Amino acid sequence: MASARKRFLEALRSDDWPGALEGLGEELSRGLVSQAVAALCSQEPITRWRAVEALGFLVSKLVEEDQEASRDVVRRLLWSLNEESGSVGWGAPEALAEILARDKGLAQEFLPIFTSFLKAGLLLRMPPAIAQGFLWGVFRLGELYGDILGKKEILQALASCLLWADPACRGLSALALKRLKALESIPVPASLFDDQGVFTFMDKGQLHTMSIAEVMKA
């Protein structure tokens, strides 16, 4: 049997990603899960986003076999966002959101912790790449848990990110607010409608690149 690392890398590079992802689930192991966590740090967007999707898929399968092991994965991702961990937590917010989107039980347990990061004071102090992950996480989870993510304090935090210098943060906050059906109910900087800042994000397994103006006008 091929090593977990080899199998995972082969799947990530496959031209048939959906099929390769399903194949990973057929021989689930903690090694595969660990490989997915490691790939979150990739500098290649397609690799990183496939790792996010793979981790969500694999943990949703792991829940069926070992609930405590699945919780450990979530705790590991949360710990990586803690300054005391000594790591930066690249990709952790996206992976957390994907996991919670795929399993209601884990969402019930860990969504309150995820939302605790969604405060203007915290988001604006994060490295942009980490804030981007949480903003995308709201976008990913918004359709499923709009009643929780649509609370006033979270919407205010998202609105504060519309003014961020980082274009991906501006774009992702606009996407998240639009998914929560809140973009039209808050004051929006007029400059966003002509904002040509470009960013890349995943939606339904596909990578998209858009300008902020395109998001605002969609």
Side-chain angles (χ1 to χ4, degrees):
M1 182 184 296
S3 69
R5 176 178 171 77
K6 182 178 180 181
R7 289 180 56 226
F8 188 74
L9 290 177
E10 287 176 349
L12 285 184
R13 296 166 182 161
S14 174
D15 292 333
D16 176 23
W17 170 241
L21 182 60
E22 288 291 334
L24 289 175
E26 293 174 2
E27 294 184 41
L28 177 65
S29 70
R30 294 195 185 192
L32 283 175
V33 174
S34 294
Q35 290 302 315
V37 171
L40 294 174
C41 297
S42 174
Q43 296 299 309
E44 298 177 359
I46 186 65
T47 298
R48 184 168 64 85
W49 282 112
R50 283 185 174 183
V52 167
E53 190 173 9
L55 196 51
F57 173 75
L58 292 171
V59 173
S60 71
K61 293 289 186 182
L62 185 61
V63 169
E64 300 171 8
E65 299 183 7
D66 190 336
Q67 290 189 357
E68 192 56 31
S70 69
R71 292 188 183 99
D72 284 343
V73 176
V74 176
R75 295 186 190 110
R76 176 181 173 185
L77 292 169
L78 289 168
W79 173 246
S80 73
L81 293 164
N82 190 315
E83 292 181 359
E84 296 177 5
S85 72
S87 62
V88 181
W90 303 125
E94 295 96 323
L96 285 166
E98 187 67 21
I99 291 169
L100 302 187
R102 288 176 179 263
D103 189 86
K104 291 182 178 179
L106 291 175
Q108 184 177 12
E109 184 173 353
F110 291 103
L111 187 57
I113 301 175
F114 183 90
T115 59
S116 71
F117 289 90
L118 302 175
K119 300 175 182 178
L122 288 178
L123 282 172
L124 295 173
R125 290 199 301 269
M126 293 177 185
I130 301 301
Q132 289 167 24
F134 279 106
L135 294 169
W136 180 84
V138 178
F139 170 72
R140 176 70 175 93
L141 293 163
E143 286 184 334
L144 298 170
Y145 301 104
D147 55 332
I148 296 172
L149 295 169
K151 292 180 179 179
K152 183 178 179 180
E153 59 270 25
I154 294 178
L155 297 181
Q156 289 175 338
L158 296 177
S160 71
C161 295
L162 294 172
L163 299 171
W164 204 321
D166 181 77
C169 287
R170 297 198 302 275
L172 288 165
S173 57
L175 274 179
L177 286 163
K178 180 164 283 193
R179 177 145 288 182
L180 292 171
K181 298 179 171 54
L183 192 58
E184 296 180 356
S185 63
I186 63 171
V188 174
S191 60
L192 293 181
F193 290 93
D194 296 310
D195 193 329
Q196 296 306 308
V198 173
F199 67 106
T200 300
F201 64 98
M202 184 176 71
D203 187 26
K204 296 179 173 62
Q206 298 294 321
L207 281 184
H208 304 271
T209 299
M210 298 180 68
S211 71
I212 295 161
E214 289 174 324
V215 173
M216 298 300 295
K217 297 171 184 177

